[in-house]
Amino acid sequence: MTRTDRPWTAFYGPEMRPDIETPSYRTIPDLIRSASGTYGKAPAFTTVMHNGMNGTLTFEQVDEMSDAFAVYLREVAGLVKGDRVAVQLPNGLTFPVAAFGILKAGCVLVNVNPLYTAEEMARQFQDSEPKALVIVDMFADKIPAATRGHPIPNVIVTRVAEFFPALPRGIIGLVQKYWDRSVQPIGVSHIRFPDALDAGRSQLSQKRVEVDAYHQQVTPEDIACLQYTGGTTGIAKGAMLSHRNLILNMEQTLEMIPVFERGKEVALTALPMYHIFAFTLNLLAFYWIGGRNILIPNPRPLTNLKRAFENYRITWMSGVNTLFNGLSNELWFRDSPPKYLKLASAGGMALQADVARRWEEVTGKPVVQGYGLTETSPVLSFNPVGKSRDGSIGIPVPSTLMQCVDDNGAPLPLGEPGEIAASGPQIMSGYWNRPDETEKVLRNGWFLTGDIGVMDEDGYFTIVDRKKDMVVVSGFNVYPNEVEEVLTSHPGIFEAAVIGVPDETTGEKVKAFVVLTDTSLSESDIRSYCKQHLTAYKIPKRVEVRDQLPKSNVGKILRKDLREENQRASTAAA
């Protein structure tokens, strides 16, 4: 495929650039400085708790605080250009200050899931070797076990309500310490985040430090983030994402969403910003366009979002299928949907057609599906606003090529399922310390996604399934997404997940896990419903009813966990 063979460009808007080769900024700190100067005293980030308590930072405040943190890292903690700094935080006001400060210091940001166990933390710390860690106090008790054998010399501890006004900050702190006891003693030497900022400010005033000098040595190709994959194929790997990768991907994505008005948008950020989807789109891109981010530290239960929807003029939100499905079934949300919403964006997992339909029925606005991976910063494709197609992940964003290939990497004819391969400026340079894994996915200028898809004559792509999730029944391929779509189209089924399990006759058979809204449904009822929509070998041979399905922290259903559970049960029964 060449750059002249791109049928999807016919669906670009009249003002869209088909190619964006030169980023608007050299580095992310340049972008931060520019946006901060443009939007100044406008609110940039507001953290909203489930009870409505909140705190806000302006663009001006974020810029000043992140300068102070950059100086702390370089002048007090002694870090140098290229050193890694781990950030283990839920959504909150500390996150942008820490992330921007790390990048301004010329260091590399390592996002870490705050819910990780000490063992999972240890693996990521051992791989990335951070010189500093910014962590929320609720999880800091795991640090001793996580750093045994490879200590982190600088630990900076923050609070969920950091930078809130004094009264709500104090109330939340007392509740955490004495009521729910979610904050335990910290067993390592550390500094509090506000004290680190004060130390940085002191250095600024005493030494007349030029913060911009730290990142003037940084090039567009230097690593901005080590963004670890979900580890679904084994131990998580750190995707090396450069400043150029991230800035260009912001531009590519914003080009596809012309409805955004600079300085006027309000984004609901329920997805965690340590996840690449929310990191690039919510945190970075919305800061760039002067949007206000409404940060939700914990979106579970979904009633935690109620006060945010009630109190702020939400114009856009990002999410995964389970979030949109769940909100559409919440009575409070259905009774009072957001009035100012322009659209919502879905990614991270397949958006089911029934979920998209119900969302639009409830809100009157579409949820537009895109597609990408951690390794691609993340967006590869997006449905053009007003030209969205049901079930499609859309068309490649500017400067991006996509095609479906066979097991040998050869392009397949239109409409034939194959692994999606992509090429573009947003694709990582490789995995940190893993040249062997890099070689498996980066071949001849193409990134192999591991997803099976098809492309139609217009250049719209549809995901069939993850390559590794495909179930083979008597030599026939069964794609779990297809079966799950059918299952969740039943009015009595809330959620579904499908895996393959061993079968002596057919090699594998289909097993479904379902969460019901109609508890009177039997396994035979569900199988009978599937018979109306699926050919025989695709029909689940087993249906297991669950109260809930295992999910990642962004709400993605974890088939791998179900496979592991099934394997353990089979082994125990043998």
Side-chain angles (χ1 to χ4, degrees):
M1 177 174 286
T2 67
R3 293 206 171 272
T4 58
D5 183 23
R6 299 183 293 179
W8 51 80
T9 58
F11 296 88
Y12 284 174
E15 305 299 322
M16 279 187 61
R17 296 171 290 172
D19 292 290
I20 311 172
E21 298 298 347
T22 304
S24 296
Y25 297 96
R26 286 184 68 256
T27 65
I28 295 172
D30 294 333
L31 182 158
I32 294 164
R33 188 73 78 206
S34 176
S36 300
T38 300
Y39 301 106
K41 296 186 184 304
F45 298 96
T46 298
T47 299
V48 181
M49 308 301 287
H50 69 279
N51 57 11
M53 288 184 178
N54 63 87
T56 295
L57 294 178
T58 66
F59 286 85
E60 193 173 80
Q61 288 173 311
V62 171
D63 197 37
E64 185 276 331
M65 289 177 171
S66 56
D67 274 359
F69 190 58
V71 174
Y72 168 80
L73 291 173
R74 294 296 293 261
E75 305 299 328
V76 181
L79 274 64
V80 299
K81 175 182 177 289
D83 279 344
R84 275 79 61 205
V85 181
V87 172
Q88 194 166 6
L89 302 174
N91 290 351
L93 298 180
T94 301
F95 197 109
V97 174
F100 293 174
I102 292 163
L103 296 172
K104 285 180 176 181
C107 297
V108 176
L109 170 64
V110 182
N111 277 315
V112 183
N113 184 336
L115 297 181
Y116 267 177
T117 64
E119 183 179 344
E120 290 168 320
M121 291 164 63
R123 284 198 293 265
Q124 192 163 331
F125 294 159
Q126 189 170 13
D127 188 62
S128 60
E129 298 180 302
K131 294 292 181 64
L133 165 66
V134 185
I135 189 168
V136 69
D137 55 6
M138 295 168 60
F139 306 115
D141 60 311
K142 294 182 283 189
I143 297 174
T147 57
R148 191 175 295 123
H150 41 87
I152 299 175
N154 301 282
V155 175
I156 305 101
V157 177
T158 190
R159 296 169 288 186
V160 168
E162 202 77 88
F163 309 124
F164 276 36
L167 182 59
R169 184 176 69 244
I171 292 171
I172 293 169
L174 288 171
V175 168
Q176 290 182 314
K177 187 173 182 179
Y178 297 108
W179 181 258
D180 59 24
R181 300 187 183 277
S182 59
V183 176
Q184 301 297 320
I186 301 168
V188 296
S189 177
H190 64 279
I191 185 173
R192 291 286 175 174
F193 196 80
D195 296 333
L197 298 190
D198 286 343
R201 291 185 183 110
S202 177
Q203 291 290 317
L204 268 170
S205 63
Q206 292 175 20
K207 293 188 176 182
R208 299 179 184 273
V209 175
E210 289 291 335
V211 178
D212 290 347
Y214 297 143
H215 59 85
Q216 283 172 356
Q217 303 299 317
V218 174
T219 73
E221 303 302 333
D222 281 337
I223 302 170
C225 296
L226 280 186
Q227 195 72 27
Y228 279 74
T229 66
T232 54
T233 58
I235 295 175
K237 304 175 288 290
M240 296 184 288
L241 303 180
S242 69
H243 290 263
R244 185 172 186 270
N245 287 151
L246 291 162
I247 293 170
L248 275 171
N249 199 232
M250 282 183 260
E251 296 202 59
Q252 291 170 313
T253 307
L254 290 172
E255 202 78 10
M256 302 290 290
I257 314 176
V259 298
F260 284 162
E261 298 178 79
R262 291 182 179 270
K264 296 183 179 180
E265 303 299 333
V266 180
L268 181 76
T269 302
L271 292 180
M273 290 189 292
Y274 62 77
H275 188 274
I276 188 61
F277 186 16
F279 182 81
T280 301
L281 270 70
N282 296 59
L283 174 66
L284 296 179
F286 256 71
Y287 198 83
W288 185 353
I289 67 170
R292 183 179 189 178
N293 257 290
I294 308 302
L295 306 178
I296 308 298
N298 180 9
R300 298 176 185 170
L302 290 177
T303 49
N304 285 1
L305 279 64
K306 188 172 185 289
R307 295 298 292 272
F309 278 114
E310 289 174 347
N311 296 341
Y312 302 92
R313 298 163 65 100
I314 307 298
T315 64
W316 177 81
M317 64 176 290
S318 58
V320 293
N321 185 81
T322 47
L323 178 63
F324 297 118
N325 187 30
L327 283 172
S328 298
N329 285 280
E330 289 281 331
L331 184 60
W332 62 266
F333 186 82
R334 295 177 65 88
D335 284 346
S336 183
K339 298 177 182 178
Y340 304 97
L341 192 70
K342 293 181 178 180
L343 79 160
S345 300
M349 63 183 293
L351 176 67
Q352 293 169 341
D354 280 351
V355 171
R357 176 184 52 77
R358 284 199 302 272
W359 177 266
E360 191 158 357
E361 285 176 357
V362 172
T363 66
K365 300 296 180 180
V367 53
V368 181
Q369 185 171 197
Y371 167 74
L373 301 93
T374 299
E375 295 90 338
T376 61
S377 303
V379 182
L380 288 173
S381 68
F382 203 81
N383 271 283
V385 177
K387 302 172 186 175
S388 181
R389 297 187 179 179
D390 288 346
S392 173
I393 57 171
I395 58 178
V397 297
S399 294
T400 302
L401 300 178
M402 290 170 58
Q403 60 183 356
C404 298
V405 301
D406 63 19
D407 290 340
N408 297 315
L412 291 165
L414 289 178
E416 188 168 328
E419 184 173 5
I420 295 176
S423 174
Q426 69 272 53
I427 292 171
M428 68 170 186
S429 57
Y431 294 118
W432 179 258
N433 291 333
R434 298 298 297 272
D436 54 333
E437 294 293 331
T438 301
E439 289 178 4
K440 293 177 183 178
V441 297
L442 290 177
R443 298 181 187 171
N444 302 317
W446 291 88
F447 172 70
L448 300 176
T449 66
D451 286 319
I452 304 298
V454 294
M455 184 181 86
D456 67 19
E457 60 184 9
D458 292 329
Y460 278 76
F461 283 76
T462 301
I463 294 290
V464 179
D465 227 313
R466 286 293 293 173
K467 190 174 183 179
K468 64 179 178 297
D469 285 343
M470 186 170 64
V471 184
V472 182
V473 180
S474 298
F476 294 98
N477 295 342
V478 179
Y479 300 105
N481 278 354
E482 180 185 9
V483 183
E484 289 167 3
E485 282 268 8
V486 169
L487 289 165
T488 55
S489 69
H490 191 292
I493 298 176
F494 176 59
E495 288 180 333
V498 165
I499 64 169
V501 297
D503 183 86
E504 292 182 0
T505 304
T506 58
E508 284 188 300
K509 61 184 176 185
V510 177
K511 181 175 181 179
F513 299 82
V514 297
V515 178
L516 301 179
T517 54
D518 179 359
T519 55
S520 68
L521 281 178
S522 66
E523 180 173 353
S524 62
D525 293 333
I526 295 169
R527 284 174 44 79
S528 296
Y529 180 77
C530 289
K531 286 178 183 178
Q532 300 173 36
H533 303 278
L534 296 169
T535 191
Y537 66 86
K538 298 179 182 179
I539 296 169
K541 297 299 185 287
R542 288 280 316 283
V543 178
E544 184 174 322
V545 176
R546 293 283 187 96
D547 292 331
Q548 60 183 7
L549 298 177
K551 296 185 179 74
S552 71
N553 293 313
V554 298
K556 184 176 180 180
I557 293 172
L558 298 173
R559 292 176 185 147
K560 70 180 182 66
D561 285 8
L562 293 171
R563 283 195 293 266
E564 290 169 2
E565 287 178 31
N566 194 81
Q567 177 62 40
R568 287 195 298 269
S570 298
T571 302

